[in-house]
């Protein structure tokens, strides 16, 4: 399991990517919530941490919280861009091929 400093670094990086995710979803009209994808991500995390005891539960909780935090970022940005369309990003990266691999 990564060190606490590395987890903070990863969490911050994921929140930064949340801006790109928000832009891609906003421009494409995709929904912010994707329960099937979220379940799959959490299933894979649990699978990778199988046998880690409490670490498995902590890992799944960490990723669940990351997903929730990113949805807060996305909802806030979407609300902002709907209220102020000129502030919406003029360009965005592709969610599937550019953002998610990161």
């Amino acid at each position: 399991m990564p060190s606490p400093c590395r987890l903070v670094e990863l969490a911050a990086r994921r929140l930064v990517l949340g801006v790109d995710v928000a832009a891609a979803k906003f421009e494409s009209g995709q929904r912010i919530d994707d329960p099937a994808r979220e379940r799959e991500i959490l299933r894979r995390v649990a699978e990778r941490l199988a046998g880690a005891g409490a670490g498995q539960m902590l890992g799944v909780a960490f990723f669940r919280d990351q997903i929730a935090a990113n949805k807060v970022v996305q909802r806030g940005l979407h609300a902002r861009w709907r209220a102020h369309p000129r502030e919406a990003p003029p360009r965005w990266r592709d969610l599937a091929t550019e953002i998610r691999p990161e």
Side-chain angles (χ1 to χ4, degrees), residues 9-98:
E9 180 184 320
L10 292 170
R13 176 72 181 132
R14 188 166 168 87
L15 288 173
V16 169
L17 282 174
V19 176
D20 288 338
V21 171
K25 288 182 177 181
F26 185 77
E27 293 300 327
S28 68
Q30 283 182 268
R31 293 177 22 161
I32 290 171
D33 291 295
D34 188 347
R37 179 172 167 71
E38 294 165 20
R39 278 191 303 276
E40 177 59 21
I41 289 168
L42 296 175
R43 184 197 64 74
R44 287 189 318 215
V45 168
E47 188 176 274
R48 288 187 73 173
L49 294 174
Q56 181 184 34
M57 291 175 18
L58 289 171
V60 171
F62 177 81
F63 274 86
R64 184 180 299 117
D65 290 347
Q66 286 297 296
I67 290 168
N70 265 275
K71 289 195 283 188
V72 169
V73 169
Q74 291 174 48
R75 286 188 183 103
L77 288 170
H78 282 206
R80 178 72 186 181
W81 296 334
R82 280 192 301 277
H84 305 279
R86 291 184 179 176
E87 293 181 14
R91 294 189 262 330
W92 60 95
R93 299 187 309 150
D94 184 74
L95 186 59
T97 62
E98 298 178 75

